[in-house]
């Protein structure tokens, strides 16, 4: 065995430096065994000198120490050349550290060769370098645009994504202020409040409308953060932004389609009702009067039959264009469907002034129109007018009065005007309330049930409960004759409890027959916000022993919650009790996007107005495709209402809808017919009920 060299005592004392870990190896022996380590080496590695003397210095190497670095060390030792490397090493307790190792070879006068190593733990430095490299990699490779300014808000750095998103190169913006991107849509107060928030909270987040170098619009979701020095002074601002232009434009497009009639561009029925309610509420302060003009075109069907539906649509567009031209900016003009148009005129003062406006409208409508086919057509209209100065009048009462007056005008002949009696208009809401309250108490209000089809299994999985008035004289009346009066009166909460009780009874009946189908009921704003439906849900579950879910609580898209956080909390509580939550009539109003994303929904129901022209208008196809994609992205199921043909059913199936509802699947039916169609011994429905 080769005798290891030793070091003179004077030299070992000299090498005991507390700040440097030093080792000495015998350079003349294979594997260069250690002959000396100082106390600092023991502290660095955790090894006592008795454990390492005589062993190769390579015992510190980790399993993943860089092989190339090891090779360089070996060559340096063989050649006797000094070298400094940073290696991953391992302590006695198996923890790893980065070791900055400097090796030198020393020859004594006797020709003995020693390899002296100086070690230093540089793990913090290596970590900082790696973090810096990672930061640089993120800075240069992220898809978000980043700009950095100095304390004076002068740009000092940008990343490549900034150039890609804005069109400006780094060289073009260095030294300039970020306002070179300004679109002019924000005033100075916007930016002052933005930076005030940064200074107060350290950051600001929001959307900014900017402009790219080529002049195109750039809508950014931006976060601006302040960087402080050790003294708390701001030394830099960092802005990180992403391009949300297309998303915002798509959202605006969806919201417009949800509020406007797709053919004419006028307001649709749902949005018109919302705006009319607001104008009526303002009468409490203005008392200037509001008139509603209900227009129904005379003999429109023969034009459709003679020249085709495309020409009929062309004429409807022309009529809407004339109406928009005649109306003032603050007037409301809507198409209620088919050939019905409704106008709300505010601030007229008297019904007689409204009659003059109606006469002007009729004079314009009767002017001939030349179709694209070259055919000239002439059409007229019957107009009913209802006028009120009372803020207590509901939109449904005013519309009903105008509708009744329109039928009176039709009886007078074509192109006529009729005005509802003002006393009738003012008293209609009160009279309707008493009649409907009595009907509800007598049991004349009942539920019809429309089936909902699962497109995955081709089974009926639920029914929507739709209120009908079985009028002793007029027969079965739809909800427009009574529902607004109910939900805007003291009947609202009892009616909501009755709905849930009826739903529970039907669900219980189906389960006793071996079937499982949820029952959907439409809940109003106050039924939800008061929490009354939660109490009713809990009570009916126990009353009918319904442990499994039985209810779909449908929130109308037109609902306007006073406190959306409260509504979300209550709907979540209903979910915890097993209820499913659905957003009804999606695509018919302006709250859809917000509600679809924020309410705790299971299902989004696409309104029938969006499905109606699915197979004839490409825009509707794209619209529904977008809703389905959005719904699925938010983990909601999507139901298409208004399916009236097999072709429509095929289309919405191909678009990825989860469920379908409409006359093709089944019309709303009373409970007796539901039992006969689905539960009787002779039942053979097109789509079977889902079994338990």
């Amino acid at each position: 065995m080769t005798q290891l060299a030793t070091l003179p005592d004077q030299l070992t004392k000299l090498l005991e430096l507390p700040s440097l870990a030093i080792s000495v190896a015998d350079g003349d022996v294979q594997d260069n065994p250690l002959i000396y380590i100082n106390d600092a080496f023991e502290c660095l590695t955790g090894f006592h000198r008795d454990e390492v003397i005589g062993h190769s210095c390579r015992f510190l190497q980790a399993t993943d120490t860089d092989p190339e670095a090891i090779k360089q060390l070996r060559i340096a030792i063989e050649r006797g050349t000094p070298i400094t490397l940073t290696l991953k090493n391992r302590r006695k307790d198996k923890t790893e550290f980065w070791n900055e190792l400097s090796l030198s070879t020393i020859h004594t006068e006797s020709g003995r060769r020693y390899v002296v190593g100086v070690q230093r733990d540089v793990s913090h430095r290596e970590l900082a370098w790696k973090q810096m490299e990672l930061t640089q990699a993120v800075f240069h490779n992220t898809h978000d645009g980043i700009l950095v300014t100095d304390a004076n808000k002068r740009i000092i750095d940008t990343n490549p994504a900034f150039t890609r998103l804005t069109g400006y190169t780094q060289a073009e913006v260095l030294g300039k202020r970020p306002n070179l991107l300004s679109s002019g849509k924000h005033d100075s107060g916007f930016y002052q409040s933005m930076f005030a928030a940064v200074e107060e909270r350290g950051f600001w987040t929001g959307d900014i409308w900017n402009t790219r170098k080529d002049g195109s619009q750039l809508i950014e979701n931006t976060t601006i953060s302040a960087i402080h020095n050790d003294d708390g002074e701001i030394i830099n601002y960092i802005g990180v932004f992403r391009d949300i232009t297309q998303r915002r434009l798509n959202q605006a497009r969806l919201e417009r389609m949800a509020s406007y009639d797709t053919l004419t561009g006028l307001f649709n029925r749902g949005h018109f009702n919302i705006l009319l309610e607001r104008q009526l509420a303002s009468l409490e302060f203005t008392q200037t009067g509001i008139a509603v003009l209900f227009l129904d075109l005379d003999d429109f069907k023969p034009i459709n039959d003679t020249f085709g539906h495309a020409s009929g649509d062309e004429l409807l567009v022309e009529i809407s264009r004339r109406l928009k031209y005649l109306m003032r900016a603050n007037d409301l003009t809507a198409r209620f469907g088919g050939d019905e148009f409704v106008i709300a005129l505010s601030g007229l003062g008297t019904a007689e002034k409204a009659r003059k406006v109606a006469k002007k409208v009729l004079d314009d409508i009767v002017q001939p129109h030349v179709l694209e086919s070259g055919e000239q057509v002439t059409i007229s209209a019957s107009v009913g007018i209802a006028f009120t100065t009372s803020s207590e009048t509901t939109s449904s009462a005013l519309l009903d009065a105008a509708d009744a007056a329109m039928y009176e005008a039709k009886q007078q002949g074509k192109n006529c005007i009729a005005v509802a009696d003002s006393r009738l208009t003012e008293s209609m809401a009160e009279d309707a309330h008493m009649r409907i309250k009595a009907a509800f108490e007598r049991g004349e209000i009942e539920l019809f049930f429309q089936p909902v089809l699962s497109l995955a299994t081709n089974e009926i999985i639920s029914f929507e409960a739709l209120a009908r008035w079985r009028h002793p004289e007029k027969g079965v009346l739809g909800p427009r004759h009574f529902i607004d009066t109910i939900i805007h009166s003291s009947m609202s909460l009892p009616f909501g409890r009755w709905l849930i009780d009826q739903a529970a009874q039907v669900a219980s009946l189906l389960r006793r027959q071996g079937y499982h189908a949820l029952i959907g009921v439409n809940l109003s704003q106050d039924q939800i916000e008061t929490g009354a439906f939660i109490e009713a849900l809990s009570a009916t579950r126990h009353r009918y022993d319904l442990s499994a879910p039985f209810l779909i609580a449908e929130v109308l898209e037109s609902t306007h919650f006073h406190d959306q956080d409260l509504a979300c909390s209550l709907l979540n509580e209903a979910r915890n009790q097993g209820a499913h939550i659905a957003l009804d009539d999606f695509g018919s109003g302006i709250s859809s996007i917000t509600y679809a994303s924020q309410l705790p929904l299971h299902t989004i129901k696409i309104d029938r107005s969006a499905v109606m022209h699915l197979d004839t208008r490409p825009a509707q196809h794209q619209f529904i495709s977008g809703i389905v994609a959005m719904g699925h992205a938010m983990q909601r199921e999507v139901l298409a209402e208004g399916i009236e043909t097999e072709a429509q059913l095929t289309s919405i199936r191909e678009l990825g809808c989860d469920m379908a509802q409409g006359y093709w699947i089944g019309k709303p039916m009373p409970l007796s017919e539901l039992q006969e169609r689905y539960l009787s011994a002779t039942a053979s429905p097109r789509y079977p009920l889902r079994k338990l």
Side-chain angles (χ1 to χ4, degrees), residues 501-531:
D501 183 83
Q502 293 288 299
Q505 286 189 46
V506 175
S508 178
L509 169 66
L510 294 174
R511 290 180 192 182
R512 291 196 303 271
Q513 298 291 324
Y515 297 101
H516 176 59
L518 303 180
I519 309 299
V521 298
N522 283 292
L523 298 179
S524 68
Q525 172 186 324
D526 63 330
Q527 289 163 0
I528 294 172
E529 288 190 321
T530 60

Side-chain angles (χ1 to χ4, degrees), residues 7-218:
L7 293 180
D9 290 343
Q10 295 86 347
L11 180 57
T12 59
K13 291 179 181 179
L14 180 63
L15 296 178
E16 283 297 339
L17 300 174
S19 59
L20 291 177
I22 299 174
S23 64
V24 180
D26 191 331
D28 293 328
V29 178
Q30 186 178 1
D31 291 336
N32 307 119
L34 293 172
I35 62 173
Y36 169 81
I37 62 170
N38 68 354
D39 291 344
F41 185 94
E42 289 183 333
C43 292
L44 174 65
T45 67
F47 287 99
H48 189 269
R49 55 176 47 90
D50 293 340
E51 298 175 289
V52 300
I53 298 300
H55 294 278
S56 170
C57 57
R58 287 195 292 273
F59 73 93
L60 291 176
Q61 292 174 7
T63 55
D64 57 345
T65 300
D66 185 6
E68 181 60 31
I70 295 173
K71 179 181 177 182
Q72 292 179 35
L73 277 176
R74 188 176 64 252
I75 294 173
I77 293 172
E78 290 174 354
R79 296 178 179 176
T81 55
I83 188 172
T84 298
L85 287 174
T86 301
L87 304 168
K88 184 181 282 188
N89 280 175
R90 184 180 55 200
R91 297 183 177 90
K92 181 179 180 180
D93 62 5
K94 307 301 183 183
T95 59
E96 294 180 342
F97 69 101
W98 287 97
N99 183 10
E100 185 183 74
L101 173 62
S102 297
L103 284 185
S104 298
T105 301
I106 301 173
H107 293 83
T108 64
E109 293 180 358
S110 63
R112 197 79 186 185
R113 190 162 67 108
Y114 299 97
V115 180
V116 180
V118 178
Q119 287 89 4
R120 188 158 62 101
D121 185 352
V122 293
S123 299
H124 291 297
R125 187 190 69 190
E126 288 296 313
L127 179 61
W129 282 351
K130 289 188 179 297
Q131 288 177 333
M132 186 181 300
E133 289 173 356
L134 177 61
T135 300
Q136 287 296 316
V138 171
F139 185 81
H140 288 288
N141 294 292
T142 183
H143 294 291
D144 292 344
I146 302 175
L147 65 86
V148 183
T149 75
D150 59 19
N152 296 318
K153 304 183 183 69
R154 297 281 182 184
I155 298 174
I156 60 174
D157 200 4
T158 63
N159 71 339
F162 174 91
T163 298
R164 178 173 53 81
L165 294 174
T166 69
Y168 288 97
T169 65
Q170 186 184 72
E172 291 175 307
V173 300
L174 290 180
K176 295 184 172 62
R177 295 183 182 274
N179 61 9
L180 87 159
L181 299 172
S182 175
S183 63
K185 292 183 179 290
H186 304 293
D187 58 21
S188 58
F190 172 83
Y191 294 103
Q192 289 171 1
S193 62
M194 180 176 72
F195 278 103
V198 174
E199 292 183 8
E200 179 181 349
R201 300 196 305 267
F203 71 96
W204 175 89
T205 297
D207 295 345
I208 301 178
W209 293 64
N210 276 336
T211 305
R212 296 182 176 89
K213 183 180 178 181
D214 62 7
S216 62
Q217 188 176 67
L218 173 62

Side-chain angles (χ1 to χ4, degrees), residues 635-688:
Q635 298 182 324
R636 276 82 162 128
E637 291 188 306
V638 181
L639 184 157
E641 297 178 302
I643 302 302
E644 298 183 355
T645 66
E646 186 174 9
Q648 288 179 335
L649 182 63
T650 300
S651 294
I652 62 109
R653 193 189 296 272
E654 291 172 350
L655 287 171
C657 281
D658 303 289
M659 293 168 284
Q661 179 181 351
Y663 281 11
W664 178 258
I665 293 131
K667 295 181 180 181
M669 66 195 85
L671 181 59
S672 58
E673 184 178 333
L674 183 154
Q675 290 176 285
E676 181 180 349
R677 178 174 299 185
Y678 293 101
L679 304 181
S680 68
T682 59
S684 57
R686 176 183 294 167
Y687 303 106

